[in-house]
Amino acid sequence: AQQEAPAPSLNPFAFLETLGGLLGGSDPVDIGPATQLQLKPLKEGYVIPDISVLLSREIFQLGDDPALCAKVAAAIESFTLRQYGLPNDEQEIFLATNRRTGELVGCVFLKRLKTKDLPGYDVLDAADIPLMESLAVNPKYSGQGIGSRLVKECENLALKWGYNKLLLQVYVENAGAIKFYKKRKYKEVFEDNRIQRPVGSSIFGIRWTEFNHKVMVKNLSKSFF
């Protein structure tokens, strides 16, 4: 994460925002890296709780179970603080926010994944590779190109880090997400059956179960998207 938000970059999806505004009166959406203050508990603008609720609803689709949603959101908040709370050159969180209201619209995480000791990942022929994860967009902002813009931010940073590939993992039954990534030139490499998802709760906490996830990779050096 960065101390200060950078100057806004050229937005190739601006026409979608304009069209959305004409059709639905939607506000412009800004995208950029989270600042240190946004990732610090008890600070004004602390955003990780909002991220956690968004992820629990949109990635794990727990909106119909408020109690489980709350528990998973708390677990995600704890994980995010451990993994992404301290700024360094190994990771980044990009946020999409409503320019007028400041509402969190979407997010995506990027980190360098060490693949050396991960079964099956040797086919990537890389000791480490950037992993894009936790991409989510509030449904009421769908159709404005926000997901594409978040993905592009990750691709640009991966290239800046010196990589020519970008990795992601997506639940095999999430057909919409798989279609989204394929449209953006991500290709299936193999399936990982060790990634967990929440399936319920008990007095002891959250019950997690392993599910198959498609591991997809994009060759950034040959991409013009």
Side-chain angles (χ1 to χ4, degrees), residues 148-183:
S148 295
R149 290 172 60 191
L150 287 166
V151 168
K152 193 63 178 176
E153 291 286 350
C154 290
E155 294 176 354
N156 289 340
L157 184 55
L159 286 169
K160 184 178 179 179
W161 283 348
Y163 296 92
N164 60 11
K165 293 180 180 179
L166 184 58
L167 174 76
L168 64 88
Q169 301 154 330
V170 57
Y171 182 39
V172 292
E173 294 188 15
N174 193 340
I178 294 170
K179 181 180 179 180
F180 171 87
Y181 291 123
K182 284 184 174 180
K183 185 177 180 181

PDB file of all heavy atoms in Angstrom, residues 148-183:
ATOM      1  N   SER A 148     -13.119  -4.716 -14.848  1.00  0.00           N
ATOM      2  CA  SER A 148     -12.051  -4.675 -15.846  1.00  0.00           C
ATOM      3  C   SER A 148     -10.954  -3.698 -15.442  1.00  0.00           C
ATOM      4  O   SER A 148      -9.756  -3.966 -15.617  1.00  0.00           O
ATOM      5  CB  SER A 148     -12.617  -4.280 -17.217  1.00  0.00           C
ATOM      6  OG  SER A 148     -13.505  -5.266 -17.699  1.00  0.00           O
ATOM      7  N   ARG A 149     -11.359  -2.570 -14.894  1.00  0.00           N
ATOM      8  CA  ARG A 149     -10.375  -1.572 -14.471  1.00  0.00           C
ATOM      9  C   ARG A 149      -9.536  -2.086 -13.302  1.00  0.00           C
ATOM     10  O   ARG A 149      -8.317  -1.862 -13.242  1.00  0.00           O
ATOM     11  CB  ARG A 149     -11.081  -0.278 -14.084  1.00  0.00           C
ATOM     12  CG  ARG A 149     -11.691   0.476 -15.259  1.00  0.00           C
ATOM     13  CD  ARG A 149     -12.547   1.648 -14.802  1.00  0.00           C
ATOM     14  NE  ARG A 149     -11.775   2.619 -14.040  1.00  0.00           N
ATOM     15  CZ  ARG A 149     -12.313   3.626 -13.351  1.00  0.00           C
ATOM     16  NH1 ARG A 149     -13.641   3.767 -13.319  1.00  0.00           N
ATOM     17  NH2 ARG A 149     -11.549   4.473 -12.692  1.00  0.00           N
ATOM     18  N   LEU A 150     -10.175  -2.790 -12.361  1.00  0.00           N
ATOM     19  CA  LEU A 150      -9.430  -3.348 -11.237  1.00  0.00           C
ATOM     20  C   LEU A 150      -8.434  -4.399 -11.712  1.00  0.00           C
ATOM     21  O   LEU A 150      -7.286  -4.439 -11.246  1.00  0.00           O
ATOM     22  CB  LEU A 150     -10.402  -3.941 -10.221  1.00  0.00           C
ATOM     23  CG  LEU A 150     -11.206  -2.931  -9.394  1.00  0.00           C
ATOM     24  CD1 LEU A 150     -12.372  -3.615  -8.679  1.00  0.00           C
ATOM     25  CD2 LEU A 150     -10.314  -2.226  -8.367  1.00  0.00           C
ATOM     26  N   VAL A 151      -8.868  -5.254 -12.633  1.00  0.00           N
ATOM     27  CA  VAL A 151      -7.968  -6.265 -13.186  1.00  0.00           C
ATOM     28  C   VAL A 151      -6.787  -5.599 -13.884  1.00  0.00           C
ATOM     29  O   VAL A 151      -5.633  -6.021 -13.739  1.00  0.00           O
ATOM     30  CB  VAL A 151      -8.724  -7.190 -14.163  1.00  0.00           C
ATOM     31  CG1 VAL A 151      -7.754  -8.058 -14.963  1.00  0.00           C
ATOM     32  CG2 VAL A 151      -9.710  -8.074 -13.406  1.00  0.00           C
ATOM     33  N   LYS A 152      -7.065  -4.559 -14.637  1.00  0.00           N
ATOM     34  CA  LYS A 152      -6.003  -3.867 -15.375  1.00  0.00           C
ATOM     35  C   LYS A 152      -4.987  -3.254 -14.431  1.00  0.00           C
ATOM     36  O   LYS A 152      -3.781  -3.246 -14.721  1.00  0.00           O
ATOM     37  CB  LYS A 152      -6.618  -2.789 -16.268  1.00  0.00           C
ATOM     38  CG  LYS A 152      -5.630  -2.238 -17.305  1.00  0.00           C
ATOM     39  CD  LYS A 152      -5.183  -3.333 -18.259  1.00  0.00           C
ATOM     40  CE  LYS A 152      -4.242  -2.792 -19.322  1.00  0.00           C
ATOM     41  NZ  LYS A 152      -3.721  -3.885 -20.192  1.00  0.00           N
ATOM     42  N   GLU A 153      -5.433  -2.743 -13.288  1.00  0.00           N
ATOM     43  CA  GLU A 153      -4.498  -2.204 -12.304  1.00  0.00           C
ATOM     44  C   GLU A 153      -3.527  -3.288 -11.841  1.00  0.00           C
ATOM     45  O   GLU A 153      -2.322  -3.044 -11.692  1.00  0.00           O
ATOM     46  CB  GLU A 153      -5.256  -1.628 -11.100  1.00  0.00           C
ATOM     47  CG  GLU A 153      -6.056  -0.371 -11.387  1.00  0.00           C
ATOM     48  CD  GLU A 153      -5.202   0.867 -11.553  1.00  0.00           C
ATOM     49  OE1 GLU A 153      -3.989   0.815 -11.275  1.00  0.00           O
ATOM     50  OE2 GLU A 153      -5.757   1.919 -11.953  1.00  0.00           O
ATOM     51  N   CYS A 154      -4.052  -4.488 -11.596  1.00  0.00           N
ATOM     52  CA  CYS A 154      -3.190  -5.602 -11.174  1.00  0.00           C
ATOM     53  C   CYS A 154      -2.215  -5.996 -12.273  1.00  0.00           C
ATOM     54  O   CYS A 154      -1.028  -6.257 -12.007  1.00  0.00           O
ATOM     55  CB  CYS A 154      -4.053  -6.796 -10.769  1.00  0.00           C
ATOM     56  SG  CYS A 154      -4.977  -6.568  -9.237  1.00  0.00           S
ATOM     57  N   GLU A 155      -2.700  -6.050 -13.499  1.00  0.00           N
ATOM     58  CA  GLU A 155      -1.823  -6.417 -14.611  1.00  0.00           C
ATOM     59  C   GLU A 155      -0.697  -5.402 -14.782  1.00  0.00           C
ATOM     60  O   GLU A 155       0.467  -5.771 -15.007  1.00  0.00           O
ATOM     61  CB  GLU A 155      -2.651  -6.539 -15.889  1.00  0.00           C
ATOM     62  CG  GLU A 155      -3.634  -7.688 -15.855  1.00  0.00           C
ATOM     63  CD  GLU A 155      -4.532  -7.768 -17.074  1.00  0.00           C
ATOM     64  OE1 GLU A 155      -4.480  -6.843 -17.930  1.00  0.00           O
ATOM     65  OE2 GLU A 155      -5.282  -8.744 -17.185  1.00  0.00           O
ATOM     66  N   ASN A 156      -1.027  -4.126 -14.665  1.00  0.00           N
ATOM     67  CA  ASN A 156      -0.004  -3.086 -14.810  1.00  0.00           C
ATOM     68  C   ASN A 156       1.034  -3.169 -13.700  1.00  0.00           C
ATOM     69  O   ASN A 156       2.242  -3.005 -13.948  1.00  0.00           O
ATOM     70  CB  ASN A 156      -0.663  -1.705 -14.809  1.00  0.00           C
ATOM     71  CG  ASN A 156      -1.444  -1.429 -16.082  1.00  0.00           C
ATOM     72  OD1 ASN A 156      -1.223  -2.060 -17.120  1.00  0.00           O
ATOM     73  ND2 ASN A 156      -2.359  -0.474 -16.020  1.00  0.00           N
ATOM     74  N   LEU A 157       0.589  -3.430 -12.464  1.00  0.00           N
ATOM     75  CA  LEU A 157       1.536  -3.522 -11.361  1.00  0.00           C
ATOM     76  C   LEU A 157       2.404  -4.772 -11.491  1.00  0.00           C
ATOM     77  O   LEU A 157       3.608  -4.730 -11.188  1.00  0.00           O
ATOM     78  CB  LEU A 157       0.793  -3.527 -10.025  1.00  0.00           C
ATOM     79  CG  LEU A 157       1.688  -3.532  -8.777  1.00  0.00           C
ATOM     80  CD1 LEU A 157       2.679  -2.375  -8.805  1.00  0.00           C
ATOM     81  CD2 LEU A 157       0.842  -3.476  -7.508  1.00  0.00           C
ATOM     82  N   ALA A 158       1.814  -5.887 -11.935  1.00  0.00           N
ATOM     83  CA  ALA A 158       2.601  -7.108 -12.143  1.00  0.00           C
ATOM     84  C   ALA A 158       3.716  -6.856 -13.158  1.00  0.00           C
ATOM     85  O   ALA A 158       4.858  -7.292 -12.971  1.00  0.00           O
ATOM     86  CB  ALA A 158       1.697  -8.244 -12.605  1.00  0.00           C
ATOM     87  N   LEU A 159       3.400  -6.145 -14.233  1.00  0.00           N
ATOM     88  CA  LEU A 159       4.415  -5.799 -15.228  1.00  0.00           C
ATOM     89  C   LEU A 159       5.474  -4.886 -14.612  1.00  0.00           C
ATOM     90  O   LEU A 159       6.678  -5.045 -14.872  1.00  0.00           O
ATOM     91  CB  LEU A 159       3.764  -5.117 -16.430  1.00  0.00           C
ATOM     92  CG  LEU A 159       2.967  -6.018 -17.373  1.00  0.00           C
ATOM     93  CD1 LEU A 159       2.157  -5.182 -18.358  1.00  0.00           C
ATOM     94  CD2 LEU A 159       3.903  -6.959 -18.139  1.00  0.00           C
ATOM     95  N   LYS A 160       5.054  -3.946 -13.783  1.00  0.00           N
ATOM     96  CA  LYS A 160       5.989  -3.035 -13.125  1.00  0.00           C
ATOM     97  C   LYS A 160       6.927  -3.798 -12.202  1.00  0.00           C
ATOM     98  O   LYS A 160       8.103  -3.433 -12.053  1.00  0.00           O
ATOM     99  CB  LYS A 160       5.212  -1.971 -12.349  1.00  0.00           C
ATOM    100  CG  LYS A 160       6.081  -0.900 -11.705  1.00  0.00           C
ATOM    101  CD  LYS A 160       5.234   0.144 -11.004  1.00  0.00           C
ATOM    102  CE  LYS A 160       6.111   1.208 -10.347  1.00  0.00           C
ATOM    103  NZ  LYS A 160       5.286   2.243  -9.669  1.00  0.00           N
ATOM    104  N   TRP A 161       6.395  -4.853 -11.579  1.00  0.00           N
ATOM    105  CA  TRP A 161       7.224  -5.691 -10.713  1.00  0.00           C
ATOM    106  C   TRP A 161       8.223  -6.529 -11.509  1.00  0.00           C
ATOM    107  O   TRP A 161       9.121  -7.134 -10.934  1.00  0.00           O
ATOM    108  CB  TRP A 161       6.344  -6.619  -9.891  1.00  0.00           C
ATOM    109  CG  TRP A 161       5.663  -5.967  -8.724  1.00  0.00           C
ATOM    110  CD1 TRP A 161       5.911  -4.734  -8.194  1.00  0.00           C
ATOM    111  CD2 TRP A 161       4.617  -6.533  -7.928  1.00  0.00           C
ATOM    112  NE1 TRP A 161       5.093  -4.491  -7.122  1.00  0.00           N
ATOM    113  CE2 TRP A 161       4.283  -5.576  -6.934  1.00  0.00           C
ATOM    114  CE3 TRP A 161       3.915  -7.740  -7.949  1.00  0.00           C
ATOM    115  CZ2 TRP A 161       3.301  -5.798  -5.968  1.00  0.00           C
ATOM    116  CZ3 TRP A 161       2.931  -7.964  -7.005  1.00  0.00           C
ATOM    117  CH2 TRP A 161       2.628  -7.006  -6.021  1.00  0.00           C
ATOM    118  N   GLY A 162       8.048  -6.610 -12.829  1.00  0.00           N
ATOM    119  CA  GLY A 162       8.961  -7.374 -13.668  1.00  0.00           C
ATOM    120  C   GLY A 162       8.463  -8.747 -14.085  1.00  0.00           C
ATOM    121  O   GLY A 162       9.234  -9.561 -14.597  1.00  0.00           O
ATOM    122  N   TYR A 163       7.158  -9.009 -13.898  1.00  0.00           N
ATOM    123  CA  TYR A 163       6.580 -10.302 -14.276  1.00  0.00           C
ATOM    124  C   TYR A 163       5.863 -10.192 -15.621  1.00  0.00           C
ATOM    125  O   TYR A 163       5.362  -9.120 -15.987  1.00  0.00           O
ATOM    126  CB  TYR A 163       5.582 -10.776 -13.219  1.00  0.00           C
ATOM    127  CG  TYR A 163       6.189 -11.053 -11.871  1.00  0.00           C
ATOM    128  CD1 TYR A 163       6.234 -10.063 -10.890  1.00  0.00           C
ATOM    129  CD2 TYR A 163       6.718 -12.304 -11.565  1.00  0.00           C
ATOM    130  CE1 TYR A 163       6.786 -10.309  -9.649  1.00  0.00           C
ATOM    131  CE2 TYR A 163       7.263 -12.562 -10.318  1.00  0.00           C
ATOM    132  CZ  TYR A 163       7.302 -11.555  -9.359  1.00  0.00           C
ATOM    133  OH  TYR A 163       7.858 -11.813  -8.129  1.00  0.00           O
ATOM    134  N   ASN A 164       5.786 -11.322 -16.325  1.00  0.00           N
ATOM    135  CA  ASN A 164       5.029 -11.339 -17.585  1.00  0.00           C
ATOM    136  C   ASN A 164       3.821 -12.263 -17.516  1.00  0.00           C
ATOM    137  O   ASN A 164       3.188 -12.528 -18.533  1.00  0.00           O
ATOM    138  CB  ASN A 164       5.930 -11.728 -18.762  1.00  0.00           C
ATOM    139  CG  ASN A 164       6.547 -13.113 -18.602  1.00  0.00           C
ATOM    140  OD1 ASN A 164       6.169 -13.884 -17.715  1.00  0.00           O
ATOM    141  ND2 ASN A 164       7.510 -13.436 -19.457  1.00  0.00           N
ATOM    142  N   LYS A 165       3.517 -12.759 -16.300  1.00  0.00           N
ATOM    143  CA  LYS A 165       2.331 -13.599 -16.110  1.00  0.00           C
ATOM    144  C   LYS A 165       1.598 -13.164 -14.844  1.00  0.00           C
ATOM    145  O   LYS A 165       2.206 -12.645 -13.912  1.00  0.00           O
ATOM    146  CB  LYS A 165       2.719 -15.078 -15.998  1.00  0.00           C
ATOM    147  CG  LYS A 165       3.279 -15.682 -17.275  1.00  0.00           C
ATOM    148  CD  LYS A 165       3.626 -17.150 -17.072  1.00  0.00           C
ATOM    149  CE  LYS A 165       4.192 -17.761 -18.355  1.00  0.00           C
ATOM    150  NZ  LYS A 165       4.546 -19.189 -18.158  1.00  0.00           N
ATOM    151  N   LEU A 166       0.294 -13.417 -14.846  1.00  0.00           N
ATOM    152  CA  LEU A 166      -0.532 -13.118 -13.676  1.00  0.00           C
ATOM    153  C   LEU A 166      -1.436 -14.311 -13.412  1.00  0.00           C
ATOM    154  O   LEU A 166      -2.046 -14.851 -14.330  1.00  0.00           O
ATOM    155  CB  LEU A 166      -1.364 -11.857 -13.914  1.00  0.00           C
ATOM    156  CG  LEU A 166      -2.220 -11.368 -12.738  1.00  0.00           C
ATOM    157  CD1 LEU A 166      -1.366 -11.091 -11.508  1.00  0.00           C
ATOM    158  CD2 LEU A 166      -2.983 -10.107 -13.131  1.00  0.00           C
ATOM    159  N   LEU A 167      -1.516 -14.711 -12.150  1.00  0.00           N
ATOM    160  CA  LEU A 167      -2.225 -15.914 -11.727  1.00  0.00           C
ATOM    161  C   LEU A 167      -3.485 -15.541 -10.957  1.00  0.00           C
ATOM    162  O   LEU A 167      -3.531 -14.532 -10.258  1.00  0.00           O
ATOM    163  CB  LEU A 167      -1.303 -16.740 -10.825  1.00  0.00           C
ATOM    164  CG  LEU A 167      -1.856 -17.993 -10.139  1.00  0.00           C
ATOM    165  CD1 LEU A 167      -1.977 -19.129 -11.142  1.00  0.00           C
ATOM    166  CD2 LEU A 167      -0.947 -18.408  -8.986  1.00  0.00           C
ATOM    167  N   LEU A 168      -4.512 -16.389 -11.075  1.00  0.00           N
ATOM    168  CA  LEU A 168      -5.696 -16.247 -10.236  1.00  0.00           C
ATOM    169  C   LEU A 168      -6.301 -17.620  -9.986  1.00  0.00           C
ATOM    170  O   LEU A 168      -6.010 -18.587 -10.689  1.00  0.00           O
ATOM    171  CB  LEU A 168      -6.726 -15.308 -10.878  1.00  0.00           C
ATOM    172  CG  LEU A 168      -7.355 -15.723 -12.204  1.00  0.00           C
ATOM    173  CD1 LEU A 168      -8.614 -16.585 -11.999  1.00  0.00           C
ATOM    174  CD2 LEU A 168      -7.727 -14.491 -13.018  1.00  0.00           C
ATOM    175  N   GLN A 169      -7.144 -17.699  -8.941  1.00  0.00           N
ATOM    176  CA  GLN A 169      -7.842 -18.931  -8.588  1.00  0.00           C
ATOM    177  C   GLN A 169      -9.323 -18.604  -8.487  1.00  0.00           C
ATOM    178  O   GLN A 169      -9.699 -17.658  -7.791  1.00  0.00           O
ATOM    179  CB  GLN A 169      -7.318 -19.472  -7.257  1.00  0.00           C
ATOM    180  CG  GLN A 169      -5.813 -19.763  -7.260  1.00  0.00           C
ATOM    181  CD  GLN A 169      -5.209 -19.668  -5.868  1.00  0.00           C
ATOM    182  OE1 GLN A 169      -5.679 -18.897  -5.028  1.00  0.00           O
ATOM    183  NE2 GLN A 169      -4.142 -20.412  -5.627  1.00  0.00           N
ATOM    184  N   VAL A 170     -10.166 -19.379  -9.158  1.00  0.00           N
ATOM    185  CA  VAL A 170     -11.591 -19.077  -9.157  1.00  0.00           C
ATOM    186  C   VAL A 170     -12.389 -20.357  -8.931  1.00  0.00           C
ATOM    187  O   VAL A 170     -12.068 -21.415  -9.477  1.00  0.00           O
ATOM    188  CB  VAL A 170     -12.007 -18.391 -10.489  1.00  0.00           C
ATOM    189  CG1 VAL A 170     -11.668 -19.238 -11.690  1.00  0.00           C
ATOM    190  CG2 VAL A 170     -13.486 -18.016 -10.472  1.00  0.00           C
ATOM    191  N   TYR A 171     -13.404 -20.265  -8.100  1.00  0.00           N
ATOM    192  CA  TYR A 171     -14.269 -21.387  -7.757  1.00  0.00           C
ATOM    193  C   TYR A 171     -14.871 -21.995  -9.030  1.00  0.00           C
ATOM    194  O   TYR A 171     -15.378 -21.273  -9.887  1.00  0.00           O
ATOM    195  CB  TYR A 171     -15.366 -20.897  -6.823  1.00  0.00           C
ATOM    196  CG  TYR A 171     -16.342 -21.924  -6.321  1.00  0.00           C
ATOM    197  CD1 TYR A 171     -15.943 -23.211  -5.972  1.00  0.00           C
ATOM    198  CD2 TYR A 171     -17.680 -21.580  -6.144  1.00  0.00           C
ATOM    199  CE1 TYR A 171     -16.846 -24.129  -5.487  1.00  0.00           C
ATOM    200  CE2 TYR A 171     -18.594 -22.485  -5.658  1.00  0.00           C
ATOM    201  CZ  TYR A 171     -18.181 -23.769  -5.336  1.00  0.00           C
ATOM    202  OH  TYR A 171     -19.085 -24.683  -4.849  1.00  0.00           O
ATOM    203  N   VAL A 172     -14.801 -23.324  -9.158  1.00  0.00           N
ATOM    204  CA  VAL A 172     -15.199 -23.978 -10.406  1.00  0.00           C
ATOM    205  C   VAL A 172     -16.665 -23.755 -10.760  1.00  0.00           C
ATOM    206  O   VAL A 172     -17.037 -23.815 -11.936  1.00  0.00           O
ATOM    207  CB  VAL A 172     -14.904 -25.496 -10.366  1.00  0.00           C
ATOM    208  CG1 VAL A 172     -13.419 -25.765 -10.345  1.00  0.00           C
ATOM    209  CG2 VAL A 172     -15.611 -26.159  -9.191  1.00  0.00           C
ATOM    210  N   GLU A 173     -17.507 -23.494  -9.763  1.00  0.00           N
ATOM    211  CA  GLU A 173     -18.927 -23.304 -10.040  1.00  0.00           C
ATOM    212  C   GLU A 173     -19.297 -21.837 -10.283  1.00  0.00           C
ATOM    213  O   GLU A 173     -20.467 -21.528 -10.522  1.00  0.00           O
ATOM    214  CB  GLU A 173     -19.764 -23.873  -8.894  1.00  0.00           C
ATOM    215  CG  GLU A 173     -19.651 -25.393  -8.763  1.00  0.00           C
ATOM    216  CD  GLU A 173     -20.631 -25.965  -7.750  1.00  0.00           C
ATOM    217  OE1 GLU A 173     -21.581 -25.232  -7.361  1.00  0.00           O
ATOM    218  OE2 GLU A 173     -20.461 -27.123  -7.343  1.00  0.00           O
ATOM    219  N   ASN A 174     -18.303 -20.972 -10.254  1.00  0.00           N
ATOM    220  CA  ASN A 174     -18.556 -19.550 -10.507  1.00  0.00           C
ATOM    221  C   ASN A 174     -18.423 -19.293 -12.005  1.00  0.00           C
ATOM    222  O   ASN A 174     -17.431 -18.719 -12.481  1.00  0.00           O
ATOM    223  CB  ASN A 174     -17.581 -18.677  -9.714  1.00  0.00           C
ATOM    224  CG  ASN A 174     -18.002 -17.228  -9.683  1.00  0.00           C
ATOM    225  OD1 ASN A 174     -18.792 -16.768 -10.516  1.00  0.00           O
ATOM    226  ND2 ASN A 174     -17.463 -16.484  -8.734  1.00  0.00           N
ATOM    227  N   ALA A 175     -19.431 -19.713 -12.747  1.00  0.00           N
ATOM    228  CA  ALA A 175     -19.381 -19.638 -14.210  1.00  0.00           C
ATOM    229  C   ALA A 175     -19.238 -18.208 -14.712  1.00  0.00           C
ATOM    230  O   ALA A 175     -18.535 -17.952 -15.695  1.00  0.00           O
ATOM    231  CB  ALA A 175     -20.630 -20.281 -14.804  1.00  0.00           C
ATOM    232  N   GLY A 176     -19.893 -17.270 -14.032  1.00  0.00           N
ATOM    233  CA  GLY A 176     -19.814 -15.885 -14.465  1.00  0.00           C
ATOM    234  C   GLY A 176     -18.405 -15.331 -14.376  1.00  0.00           C
ATOM    235  O   GLY A 176     -17.934 -14.648 -15.289  1.00  0.00           O
ATOM    236  N   ALA A 177     -17.722 -15.632 -13.262  1.00  0.00           N
ATOM    237  CA  ALA A 177     -16.350 -15.152 -13.083  1.00  0.00           C
ATOM    238  C   ALA A 177     -15.413 -15.817 -14.088  1.00  0.00           C
ATOM    239  O   ALA A 177     -14.533 -15.163 -14.660  1.00  0.00           O
ATOM    240  CB  ALA A 177     -15.880 -15.422 -11.662  1.00  0.00           C
ATOM    241  N   ILE A 178     -15.596 -17.108 -14.321  1.00  0.00           N
ATOM    242  CA  ILE A 178     -14.748 -17.821 -15.277  1.00  0.00           C
ATOM    243  C   ILE A 178     -14.900 -17.219 -16.671  1.00  0.00           C
ATOM    244  O   ILE A 178     -13.917 -16.988 -17.392  1.00  0.00           O
ATOM    245  CB  ILE A 178     -15.082 -19.324 -15.276  1.00  0.00           C
ATOM    246  CG1 ILE A 178     -14.698 -19.935 -13.929  1.00  0.00           C
ATOM    247  CG2 ILE A 178     -14.368 -20.041 -16.419  1.00  0.00           C
ATOM    248  CD1 ILE A 178     -15.202 -21.352 -13.725  1.00  0.00           C
ATOM    249  N   LYS A 179     -16.128 -16.934 -17.061  1.00  0.00           N
ATOM    250  CA  LYS A 179     -16.382 -16.302 -18.363  1.00  0.00           C
ATOM    251  C   LYS A 179     -15.728 -14.931 -18.427  1.00  0.00           C
ATOM    252  O   LYS A 179     -15.126 -14.559 -19.452  1.00  0.00           O
ATOM    253  CB  LYS A 179     -17.888 -16.192 -18.591  1.00  0.00           C
ATOM    254  CG  LYS A 179     -18.263 -15.565 -19.927  1.00  0.00           C
ATOM    255  CD  LYS A 179     -19.783 -15.501 -20.083  1.00  0.00           C
ATOM    256  CE  LYS A 179     -20.168 -14.850 -21.408  1.00  0.00           C
ATOM    257  NZ  LYS A 179     -21.654 -14.785 -21.545  1.00  0.00           N
ATOM    258  N   PHE A 180     -15.830 -14.170 -17.335  1.00  0.00           N
ATOM    259  CA  PHE A 180     -15.235 -12.838 -17.255  1.00  0.00           C
ATOM    260  C   PHE A 180     -13.727 -12.912 -17.498  1.00  0.00           C
ATOM    261  O   PHE A 180     -13.166 -12.130 -18.284  1.00  0.00           O
ATOM    262  CB  PHE A 180     -15.533 -12.239 -15.887  1.00  0.00           C
ATOM    263  CG  PHE A 180     -14.821 -10.954 -15.572  1.00  0.00           C
ATOM    264  CD1 PHE A 180     -15.374  -9.739 -15.943  1.00  0.00           C
ATOM    265  CD2 PHE A 180     -13.612 -10.963 -14.883  1.00  0.00           C
ATOM    266  CE1 PHE A 180     -14.714  -8.542 -15.641  1.00  0.00           C
ATOM    267  CE2 PHE A 180     -12.955  -9.777 -14.581  1.00  0.00           C
ATOM    268  CZ  PHE A 180     -13.507  -8.563 -14.954  1.00  0.00           C
ATOM    269  N   TYR A 181     -13.060 -13.855 -16.834  1.00  0.00           N
ATOM    270  CA  TYR A 181     -11.608 -13.956 -16.966  1.00  0.00           C
ATOM    271  C   TYR A 181     -11.199 -14.478 -18.336  1.00  0.00           C
ATOM    272  O   TYR A 181     -10.207 -14.004 -18.919  1.00  0.00           O
ATOM    273  CB  TYR A 181     -11.043 -14.842 -15.863  1.00  0.00           C
ATOM    274  CG  TYR A 181     -11.134 -14.226 -14.491  1.00  0.00           C
ATOM    275  CD1 TYR A 181     -11.794 -14.885 -13.446  1.00  0.00           C
ATOM    276  CD2 TYR A 181     -10.573 -12.984 -14.225  1.00  0.00           C
ATOM    277  CE1 TYR A 181     -11.882 -14.310 -12.187  1.00  0.00           C
ATOM    278  CE2 TYR A 181     -10.652 -12.406 -12.966  1.00  0.00           C
ATOM    279  CZ  TYR A 181     -11.310 -13.072 -11.955  1.00  0.00           C
ATOM    280  OH  TYR A 181     -11.398 -12.500 -10.710  1.00  0.00           O
ATOM    281  N   LYS A 182     -11.934 -15.433 -18.861  1.00  0.00           N
ATOM    282  CA  LYS A 182     -11.602 -15.951 -20.186  1.00  0.00           C
ATOM    283  C   LYS A 182     -11.698 -14.853 -21.242  1.00  0.00           C
ATOM    284  O   LYS A 182     -10.891 -14.787 -22.172  1.00  0.00           O
ATOM    285  CB  LYS A 182     -12.518 -17.122 -20.544  1.00  0.00           C
ATOM    286  CG  LYS A 182     -12.161 -18.417 -19.834  1.00  0.00           C
ATOM    287  CD  LYS A 182     -13.044 -19.569 -20.317  1.00  0.00           C
ATOM    288  CE  LYS A 182     -12.594 -20.887 -19.717  1.00  0.00           C
ATOM    289  NZ  LYS A 182     -13.435 -22.037 -20.177  1.00  0.00           N
ATOM    290  N   LYS A 183     -12.692 -13.998 -21.097  1.00  0.00           N
ATOM    291  CA  LYS A 183     -12.860 -12.882 -22.037  1.00  0.00           C
ATOM    292  C   LYS A 183     -11.647 -11.965 -21.991  1.00  0.00           C
ATOM    293  O   LYS A 183     -11.318 -11.300 -22.983  1.00  0.00           O
ATOM    294  CB  LYS A 183     -14.131 -12.106 -21.686  1.00  0.00           C
ATOM    295  CG  LYS A 183     -14.474 -10.988 -22.656  1.00  0.00           C
ATOM    296  CD  LYS A 183     -15.785 -10.329 -22.286  1.00  0.00           C
ATOM    297  CE  LYS A 183     -16.128  -9.197 -23.254  1.00  0.00           C
ATOM    298  NZ  LYS A 183     -17.412  -8.528 -22.883  1.00  0.00           N
TER     299      LYS A 183
END
